[in-house]
Amino acid sequence: MVTIHDVAVRAGVSATTVSHVVNGTRPVSPQLSERVQRAMRDLGYQPNALARSLRRKQTHTIGLIVPDNSNPFFAEMAHSVEYAAYGIGHAVVLCNSDDDAEREALYLDLLLKRQVDGIVLVAAATSSDAMRALVERGPPLVVVDRDLANPANDCVLTDHEAGGYAASEHLAQLGHKRIACIAGPSDLESSAGRVAGYRAALRAAGLRVDTSMIVRGDFRDHSGYVAAQKLLKRADPPTAIFACNDLMAIGAMAAVRDAGLSVPEDVSVVGFDDIHIAGYLNPPLTTIAQPTTELGRVATELLLQRMQDRTLPPRRVMLRNRLIIRRTTASAPSRSISYFVE
Ligand code: RIB
């Protein structure tokens, strides 16, 4: 293997000079620098990235922990983080916590050991205090999407309650009186905010909030299917469903179909996220669009700034989500239908 000393002999300079050229740790004259570069090319010298990162205390690597990398929302956000990181010469190590606090803490520890330069974190549904403590002593970290309620961290969020309100208000304005909600994991701040918005919108529309019309899912499609089946079997089934994310809305639409009913003629459905596929469904999904790409980009920018200056005061950025009306919502059906689900 070609060493730094072989390059020094070939270029007729000291090994220290070669190291300054490779690591940019001190200015070297253009003539000497060209001799070293030429010797490196001639010999096929590859600087030792690990040794260089230890010297520089930089690995040019960012850790990204998401709760479910199979969810298009997180995949789209990860794409945005990777794109922004690539632009500043950093690689991204993607970790999937699977919404499990223990797995999340293990990945956080692994990233600390690998000395990543910074971490973008979307907290798992059951993030523990131990994880929060681990976050305190780690490298620069930006929390995205799910607030850890830790004022020490930079965070980039969207207004979950306003989104839940807009989704439910849209259904009430269409004349629906029995509006159900399929919620996400109970200990998740993003789901709790959306359910709070749902409750507020129903009250503002003069509708009673029937807690039996709020059914818990886990942010995955099958839980939306099961929750919608349960709602459709009621003696007084809903004519509209607000699902707290698109995957559960897609599951709910399948349950309506399997009950021999149609969206939106019999049941209107609204989701939350606006994942890429939402507009290509049949019918295309009415949903709350999250600024997913912006979330990833802003998080990476805040992280880079924190990596460059750890003394910066914590920043809290709130981005806006918005209602996208497509074709899964319509006026409340005039006829009442008994839903029989096998
Ligand atoms: O789809 C996954 C959900 O979890 C998204 O709505 C996102 O906001 C996250 O909290």
Side-chain angles (χ1 to χ4, degrees):
M1 182 179 74
V2 178
T3 69
I4 197 168
H5 299 287
D6 300 328
V7 174
V9 169
R10 179 70 173 244
V13 300
S14 70
T16 305
T17 299
V18 176
S19 174
H20 290 323
V21 171
V22 169
N23 297 304
T25 41
R26 193 173 298 170
V28 175
S29 73
Q31 294 78 4
L32 281 185
S33 181
E34 176 47 36
R35 276 165 50 187
V36 171
Q37 300 285 357
R38 189 182 313 116
M40 285 166 58
R41 284 194 300 272
D42 294 349
L43 296 173
Y45 173 70
Q46 289 297 329
N48 181 326
L50 181 58
R52 183 170 46 182
S53 62
L54 289 175
R55 263 196 305 282
R56 287 182 166 180
K57 293 187 178 21
Q58 263 197 333
T59 57
H60 288 280
T61 309
I62 288 173
L64 170 61
I65 303 179
V66 298
D68 177 8
N69 61 343
S70 69
N71 181 329
F73 171 81
F74 295 117
E76 290 162 27
M77 183 195 288
H79 181 272
S80 169
V81 170
E82 189 277 334
Y83 188 86
Y86 177 80
I88 55 171
H90 277 65
V92 174
V93 174
L94 174 63
C95 304
N96 172 37
S97 66
D98 209 20
D99 256 328
D100 173 79
E102 193 175 322
R103 192 182 170 100
E104 180 184 73
L106 181 128
Y107 269 128
L108 210 51
D109 196 45
L110 180 147
L111 292 172
L112 296 183
K113 288 189 172 80
R114 288 180 65 125
Q115 297 190 333
V116 294
D117 296 335
I119 295 174
V120 174
L121 170 70
V122 183
T126 53
S127 273
S128 66
D129 292 340
M131 194 285 292
R132 285 173 171 73
L134 203 55
V135 161
E136 294 292 329
R137 69 173 177 84
L141 178 136
V142 175
V143 169
V144 189
D145 173 62
R146 301 171 177 184
D147 195 357
L148 273 187
N150 177 344
N153 289 122
D154 294 322
C155 59
V156 190
L157 306 168
T158 61
D159 190 335
H160 300 297
E161 181 164 347
Y165 188 101
S168 309
E169 179 188 53
H170 170 59
L171 294 169
Q173 287 172 344
L174 287 170
H176 293 278
K177 303 300 182 195
R178 291 197 309 282
I179 302 173
C181 175
I182 301 177
S186 55
D187 35 15
L188 251 189
E189 175 261 346
S190 53
S191 173
R194 296 167 200 176
V195 175
Y198 158 83
R199 288 171 177 269
L202 264 58
R203 283 195 297 270
L207 299 172
R208 184 174 68 86
V209 175
D210 174 355
T211 51
S212 71
M213 280 280 199
I214 301 174
V215 180
R216 182 89 36 215
D218 63 4
F219 273 155
R220 288 168 167 82
D221 40 30
H222 188 64
S223 68
Y225 184 97
V226 172
Q229 257 194 346
K230 181 178 177 184
L231 289 163
L232 294 173
K233 285 178 178 176
R234 290 168 61 104
D236 59 342
T239 61
I241 297 174
F242 163 47
C244 287
N245 83 333
D246 284 353
L247 289 184
M248 295 194 299
I250 292 167
M253 289 168 69
V256 172
R257 176 202 64 209
D258 290 351
L261 302 168
S262 66
V263 173
E265 292 72 16
D266 298 308
V267 184
S268 288
V269 175
V270 181
F272 200 115
D273 286 342
D274 197 23
I275 56 178
H276 278 322
I277 197 75
Y280 295 91
L281 299 174
N282 182 20
L285 182 64
T286 296
T287 187
I288 298 295
Q290 296 225 60
T292 310
T293 300
E294 193 75 357
L295 281 166
R297 185 183 64 75
V298 172
T300 309
E301 275 175 12
L302 289 184
L303 185 64
L304 176 66
Q305 291 163 14
R306 175 75 53 199
M307 284 155 50
Q308 290 168 338
D309 181 355
R310 294 198 182 197
T311 64
L312 288 171
R315 280 78 51 87
R316 187 179 178 82
V317 178
M318 183 68 81
L319 300 177
R320 297 180 60 80
N321 46 47
R322 60 195 173 92
L323 175 64
I324 305 289
I325 300 174
R326 296 192 178 104
R327 300 210 324 266
T328 54
T329 48
S331 299
S334 51
R335 63 193 186 287
S336 66
I337 295 174
S338 295
Y339 303 144
F340 297 98
V341 180
E342 293 312 313

